[in-house]
Amino acid sequence: MTVVDDRPETVAPAPRRRPNRLLALLRNSWRQLTSMRTALILLFLLAIAAIPGSVLPQRGISPEKVNEYFVDHPDWAPRLDRIGAFEVFGSVWFSAIYLLLFTSLIGCITPRLRDHVRTLRSRPPAAPKRMARLPQHTVMPAPPGGAAAIAAALRKRRWRVEVRGDEVSAEKGYLKETGNLLFHTSLIAVLIGVALGSWYGWSGNRLLVAGADNAFCNTRQQYAEAKLGPRVNSADLPRFCLRLDDFEARFLASGQPEFFNATVTVDGPDEPTRSADFSVNSPLRLNDASVYLLGHGYAPVIRYTDRFGNSQISDEPFLTTGDMGLTSEGLAAFPDANVDPATGQRAPDQQMAFTGIYLPTAPEQAPFVRSQYPTERNPALNLVAYRGNLGLDAGIPGSVYQLDQRQVRAGKVKEVGTKLLRKGETWKLDDGTTVEFLGTERYVTLSIRHDPGSTMLLVSCGVLLVGLMGSLFGKRRRVFFRVVPADPGEGSPTSGSSLMEVGGLPRTDYPGFADEFTQLVAAVSGAERAGAGADSADRAGVREGAE
Amino acid sequence: MSALSDNLVTFAILVYLVAMIGHAVEYALGNVRTRVATAAPARELVGAGGGVVPTPPAPVPSPPTVDRSAGRARLAGLIGVGATAVAAALHLAALVTRGLAADRMPWGNMYEFVLTVTFIGVAAWLVVLWKRQSLRKLGLFLTLVMVLLVATAELVLYVPIVPLVPALNSYWFVIHVSTIVFASGIFLFGVVPAVGFLMRNGYEQGKRSFPYTLAKRLPGAVGLERLTFALHAFAFPIFTFAVIAGAIWAEAAWGRPWGWDPKETWAFISWVVYAGYLHARATPSVKRNVATWIAVLGFLTMLMNLFGVNIFFTGLHSYGGLD
Ligand code: HEM
């Protein structure tokens, strides 16, 4: 495992005269940066730098939690914010660490790549004079074919072999360095894949209520929140539309979800028209976009009939509050209510809004604030009616899910009553207008994304794994054979044939080398010999030699 | 079936305790013996290592007691191993019954997860022990780790059986979680020879203060270090695969392969720390005990992911079942 540190110095000695200070400094810094030690330190820094990302709330993951943190720690939060603690993985210091690490990585693998290519093209070196000094050494009867037979036996075992007269050198396990280089190179490819995704990718989230009127088309404006990579503009988004036709959910008796399925109709210039199903874990794959099912809920359908007898319908989604029973909260706003049909005149103080809590399974008795089960076993809508100027015309962006509280506080919107409505029930307000709870539509929460780096990521992760295994489990080692004539004076059992002297050298930490060596030598020696007797004699010989 | 599983876990903890006591007795008796039998070689070793030569403890001059207590020490050690095997069988039975009761793989929440990880750890230990019986004395540390982890799982993480939430209902669940469990189990086991090595190495260098003296009867430092490396090198690619499989699954389930959710963040931290260990070990200028400390650090980050993240943070991975 000392591949790097015993790499021969490849940097030419600096010229003696007029050493350029700056150049020397640069060269030294570069050498420092690309050393294993620096890589190690940077790896550590990377691990440590990631910790705050799990401890503190992160904007990219849970912006609400970051806001909460600001409220809870008004003194600390701004300071933490200044150093990027709420966006650790995009912060300057985190990026600096991994960019340095990857620079170090490139600086480290480039010379190794060059060396390795050279090694791959060179022949195994000549046998050392004194083989007895190698970690493994033995003397055995040589196979009848001499050096050629030895070489053939080694080749069959996929050693790289070089024959020089009576000597055979062989090497194996180049896979280790190949794998290592492949592994480190694919780390760079992974980083490039991530970068591609963030530059050329885009994503958006939105709620989609069932029904043809609520169909959604993939444009920038249709997203509540959308993130486009720096190299993407709105015109690049693929054009398709989605309509939610059906949503099916099954739950256990405890209320825990068990199964979801959304059925949509897809069409648009960039997509063939068709019906498609998707679910959690199996997103809808479109050309250049994927649609993920993240959540679901109910959109109460509320009809308001104003004093002129005009009806309007709201089916805005009510957002789930996070409990098992899918208790949901929302707003049905009718800014165009009470417009006089004769004059077309708006009465700005006659706009209507209803805030409400929707309970798919309401309890038997009050309080009606918490649903007991996620499906509609006993649906009830608890409404609060407001009349006045909703503030929607003022040009101040308001939420479609919440009543503008500034208008309430300013007295411009007044509460005019509260009522619990069952499905189909009508509530007559003080001014004779009516509101009806017609039923509900399902809605789904979708995340729609495109990540052009994902193929590159996947492929480079695969290569990374293969390389890693080669690197970890490959073992570089050399063996040398020298065929010598048997000493006729010694009267050995194999007199008449020649002997071979064998040495073995593991180039990496490899405790099992002795065993492999023993087996290899026995096999080579017995390569072209028949009979068990000869075989056992071989083994005895090995044992003696290995001592 | 579910109650049976809970009882089996309790029994397994008790039997691990018995195993631990067995190994501890072997240690205690072994120390009596070594005082006589190995005082001289120990001093030689220290001298050879160039460390400080401490005054050897006075030999106990009664050879008959020595022999008998050596036999008894061995017996206690073997009882420890036997009890570990029995406990592992109970542990496995607990997992199987839990899986049967839930009608799925028993990895649906953190309790089940830790239970499986620890089982892998003990199974790997028994396999290694089968091949290298000289390692038996590590059993004390292993059983200690087992008792602590399994008991913590039962006391802190326990949740009743519920089916999987839809997000977990995918074949990636089996691929991702089984490999994570397997790799984590090997990593957890890997800390045992790592700590053994750190103590033994100190001992061989002549340290005679408290934790090092425990290493007197451990196998040689070089072998422990090799085993530490072998286990980590084996587990690392599996862990890497598991993390990649997790990313593929996360892409399908949540729409992004990687989102720095606390669990993902800690898996990243563990991965980087273990990569650091492999690097450090491959760098000749870094001492082996420094490298091994990094492996221990890796173990701590794994613990953080197994227990800490589920207890302290919430994220998409919070299916631990704790409130
Ligand atoms: C992006 C950060 C890096 C990661 C995640 C990483 C990861 C790894 C891992 C897991 C191994 C173990 C494989 C093995 O032992 O064969 C390894 C080996 C190695 N790494 Fe890195 N590495 C990184 C950067 C670097 C850098 C910057 C250098 C050069 C200074 C480097 C040089 C090496 C070498 C020479 C080995 C082979 C050790 C051996 O002979 O076994 N790595 N690396």
Side-chain angles (χ1 to χ4, degrees):
Chain A
M1 301 257 153
T2 52
V3 179
V4 161
D5 288 55
D6 70 14
R7 172 157 53 86
E9 228 12 280
T10 45
V11 184
R16 287 278 156 73
R17 264 174 295 168
R18 298 184 62 203
N20 186 331
R21 284 269 198 80
L22 183 68
L23 240 134
L25 182 72
L26 277 178
R27 190 186 300 130
N28 264 339
S29 324
W30 180 247
R31 226 182 273 168
Q32 278 294 323
L33 180 65
T34 58
S35 77
M36 278 288 260
R37 231 156 216 275
T38 310
L40 204 55
I41 291 167
L42 287 170
L43 274 172
F44 261 99
L45 284 178
L46 192 65
I48 293 168
I51 295 176
S54 76
V55 177
L56 293 169
Q58 298 293 301
R59 281 223 173 80
I61 305 164
S62 46
E64 344 63 66
K65 291 236 179 73
V66 177
N67 294 341
E68 258 170 53
Y69 196 90
F70 268 85
V71 173
D72 295 345
H73 307 270
D75 42 348
W76 268 108
R79 271 182 248 176
L80 287 173
D81 198 19
R82 219 166 302 138
I83 57 169
F86 300 113
E87 276 149 309
V88 166
F89 303 106
S91 69
V92 179
W93 38 277
F94 193 80
S95 317
I97 295 172
Y98 74 73
L99 288 178
L100 271 177
L101 182 57
F102 275 86
T103 314
S104 164
L105 182 58
I106 293 170
C108 176
I109 59 177
T110 322
R112 280 172 56 205
L113 198 62
R114 199 185 49 213
D115 292 352
H116 190 52
V117 169
R118 203 173 291 156
T119 318
L120 282 179
R121 294 165 70 195
S122 64
R123 312 267 90 208
K129 284 243 163 52
R130 286 200 259 171
M131 286 216 228
R133 285 199 174 172
L134 294 175
Q136 297 298 324
H137 176 248
T138 186
V139 177
M140 297 266 300
I150 294 172
L154 286 170
R155 283 205 186 93
K156 214 165 74 195
R157 286 172 181 73
R158 307 188 41 233
W159 287 74
R160 172 183 295 215
V161 181
E162 176 74 0
V163 183
R164 295 183 179 88
D166 279 342
E167 284 180 11
V168 181
S169 312
E171 186 159 3
K172 200 173 175 176
Y174 298 92
L175 189 66
K176 182 174 184 60
E177 185 69 356
T178 311
N180 191 289
L181 290 170
L182 213 55
F183 167 75
H184 285 90
T185 314
S186 49
L187 281 175
I188 300 173
V190 167
L191 191 70
I192 295 175
V194 172
L196 277 182
S198 71
W199 286 335
Y200 295 97
W202 54 268
S203 69
N205 288 351
R206 80 158 269 156
L207 306 184
L208 180 60
V209 180
D213 298 342
N214 296 309
F216 136 82
C217 291
N218 187 39
T219 60
R220 181 78 174 76
Q221 296 78 10
Q222 289 237 12
Y223 285 104
E225 39 172 318
K227 267 188 233 149
L228 305 190
R231 303 294 168 87
V232 183
N233 60 47
S234 309
D236 297 334
L237 298 188
R239 290 162 304 160
F240 61 85
C241 297
L242 292 180
R243 185 179 81 208
L244 180 64
D245 299 320
D246 189 24
F247 179 76
E248 193 190 344
R250 279 204 306 271
F251 300 89
L252 300 171
S254 66
Q256 187 189 310
E258 195 193 10
F259 170 85
F260 298 129
N261 186 57
T263 308
V264 290
T265 301
V266 188
D267 70 31
D270 293 343
E271 290 292 332
T273 304
R274 65 189 188 275
S275 173
D277 288 283
F278 63 104
S279 176
V280 178
N281 280 326
S282 63
L284 174 62
R285 304 282 184 195
L286 305 173
N287 300 326
D288 294 335
S290 297
V291 184
Y292 304 87
L293 180 64
L294 295 187
H296 66 107
Y298 297 98
V301 183
I302 297 166
R303 177 158 65 204
Y304 175 70
T305 308
D306 66 16
R307 62 178 73 165
F308 302 102
N310 289 331
S311 296
Q312 293 165 46
I313 288 185
S314 157
D315 59 356
E316 285 298 331
F318 275 33
L319 301 186
T320 51
T321 52
D323 64 346
M324 195 74 104
L326 288 183
T327 308
S328 320
E329 290 177 345
L331 170 75
F334 299 96
D336 299 331
N338 297 317
V339 174
D340 188 339
T343 60
Q345 199 79 46
R346 268 188 122 100
D349 56 341
Q350 293 292 321
Q351 294 176 329
M352 286 302 297
F354 301 88
T355 63
I357 299 179
Y358 177 63
L359 309 172
T361 300
E364 291 304 318
Q365 292 141 5
F368 298 103
V369 291
R370 204 175 151 90
S371 166
Q372 294 177 320
Y373 196 74
T375 63
E376 298 182 306
R377 292 181 171 171
N378 180 23
L381 182 63
N382 206 347
L383 284 184
V384 183
Y386 292 90
R387 187 182 301 126
N389 185 343
L390 300 182
L392 294 178
D393 314 322
I396 307 160
S399 163
V400 289
Y401 306 115
Q402 273 175 348
L403 188 62
D404 188 345
Q405 290 300 322
R406 282 168 302 197
Q407 298 293 101
V408 181
R409 261 180 270 121
K412 292 184 178 154
V413 172
K414 294 219 170 54
E415 189 183 319
V416 291
T418 304
K419 188 160 171 66
L420 184 78
L421 293 175
R422 306 278 170 183
K423 217 179 232 178
E425 282 182 351
T426 304
W427 171 23
K428 195 161 205 161
L429 296 178
D430 55 350
D431 60 353
T433 61
T434 56
V435 55
E436 282 171 89
F437 172 33
L438 299 178
T440 55
E441 288 285 4
R442 299 305 293 250
Y443 76 82
V444 289
T445 314
L446 300 180
S447 173
I448 301 170
R449 298 173 168 260
H450 178 51
D451 180 355
S454 59
T455 311
M456 171 130 188
L457 263 184
L458 193 63
V459 172
S460 44
C461 280
V463 175
L464 180 150
L465 259 179
V466 172
L468 181 61
M469 307 244 252
S471 172
L472 279 172
F473 303 125
K475 261 115 197 144
R476 181 114 171 253
R477 64 267 194 203
R478 286 184 185 150
V479 284
F480 304 102
F481 293 77
R482 181 175 294 134
V483 180
V484 287
D487 188 349
E490 223 167 67
S492 82
T494 47
S495 57
S497 65
S498 47
L499 293 176
M500 60 183 187
E501 187 183 14
V502 194
L505 173 68
R507 305 279 320 275
T508 51
D509 186 11
Y510 178 14
F513 183 63
D515 289 341
E516 189 198 0
F517 181 78
T518 312
Q519 279 164 14
L520 176 75
V521 174
V524 169
S525 168
E528 290 177 12
R529 219 177 299 226
D535 212 294
S536 67
D538 287 349
R539 248 178 267 135
V542 172
R543 222 170 292 133
E544 263 164 45
E547 273 313 303
Chain B
M1 200 66 111
S2 153
L4 174 64
S5 167
D6 300 350
N7 287 335
L8 283 169
V9 172
T10 312
F11 283 137
I13 297 174
L14 290 177
V15 183
Y16 281 128
L17 249 161
V18 171
M20 193 172 101
I21 293 168
H23 283 297
V25 168
E26 178 182 27
Y27 243 87
L29 293 178
N31 281 348
V32 175
R33 194 184 71 98
T34 24
R35 233 174 269 168
V36 190
T38 55
R43 195 173 47 173
E44 247 170 49
L45 236 176
V46 172
V52 190
V53 183
T55 2
V60 185
S62 54
T65 344
V66 167
D67 280 342
R68 228 183 303 144
S69 76
R72 268 191 262 145
R74 198 178 135 72
L75 182 66
L78 290 178
I79 289 175
V81 172
T84 309
V86 171
L90 289 169
H91 195 154
L92 178 64
L95 280 172
V96 170
T97 47
R98 178 115 183 158
L100 288 175
D103 195 21
R104 57 170 166 72
M105 289 298 182
W107 311 321
N109 48 53
M110 226 43 218
Y111 167 68
E112 297 171 0
F113 189 80
V114 173
L115 223 51
T116 316
V117 169
T118 45
F119 173 73
I120 298 288
V122 77
W125 156 247
L126 289 172
V127 169
V128 168
L129 189 62
W130 179 298
K131 293 205 174 140
R132 304 252 297 272
Q133 275 150 30
S134 58
L135 292 171
R136 190 177 71 226
K137 301 209 173 69
L138 280 179
L140 179 58
F141 302 99
L142 181 105
T143 46
L144 177 68
V145 171
M146 291 302 288
V147 168
L148 289 179
L149 290 185
V150 181
T152 315
E154 197 182 30
L155 295 176
V156 182
L157 299 174
Y158 182 80
V159 284
I161 289 178
V162 284
L164 294 181
V165 296
L168 292 187
N169 203 350
S170 150
Y171 56 90
W172 284 109
F173 170 66
V174 177
I175 298 174
H176 168 61
V177 183
S178 65
T179 46
I180 281 271
V181 162
F182 191 79
S184 307
I186 307 283
F187 278 141
L188 283 194
F189 168 34
V191 81
V192 170
V195 172
F197 163 74
L198 288 172
M199 288 171 25
R200 178 71 199 185
N201 191 41
Y203 184 82
E204 286 179 7
Q205 284 169 2
K207 295 203 182 111
R208 288 295 179 274
S209 50
F210 162 60
Y212 299 107
T213 47
L214 282 180
K216 198 190 279 183
R217 307 261 298 132
L218 285 183
V222 174
L224 288 175
E225 202 279 334
R226 281 244 167 87
L227 178 64
T228 307
F229 175 69
L231 289 171
H232 285 86
F234 177 57
F236 187 77
I238 302 174
F239 187 62
T240 309
F241 171 80
V243 171
I244 293 171
I248 296 174
W249 182 16
E251 194 280 329
W254 299 321
R256 81 288 184 292
W258 196 267
W260 297 110
D261 173 89
K263 245 204 161 82
E264 292 168 350
T265 306
W266 278 95
F268 172 80
I269 293 173
S270 293
W271 191 81
V272 169
V273 171
Y274 281 123
Y277 165 68
L278 295 179
H279 261 203
R281 195 177 181 278
T283 314
S285 59
V286 176
K287 288 214 191 74
R288 284 287 150 93
N289 61 333
V290 175
T292 308
W293 272 113
I294 303 178
V296 175
L297 193 68
F299 168 75
L300 296 179
T301 65
M302 293 298 285
L303 281 192
M304 182 66 194
N305 221 352
L306 286 178
F307 295 97
V309 171
N310 282 74
I311 296 168
F312 302 132
F313 310 130
T314 56
L316 286 171
H317 276 89
S318 31
Y319 43 73
L322 299 172
D323 276 326

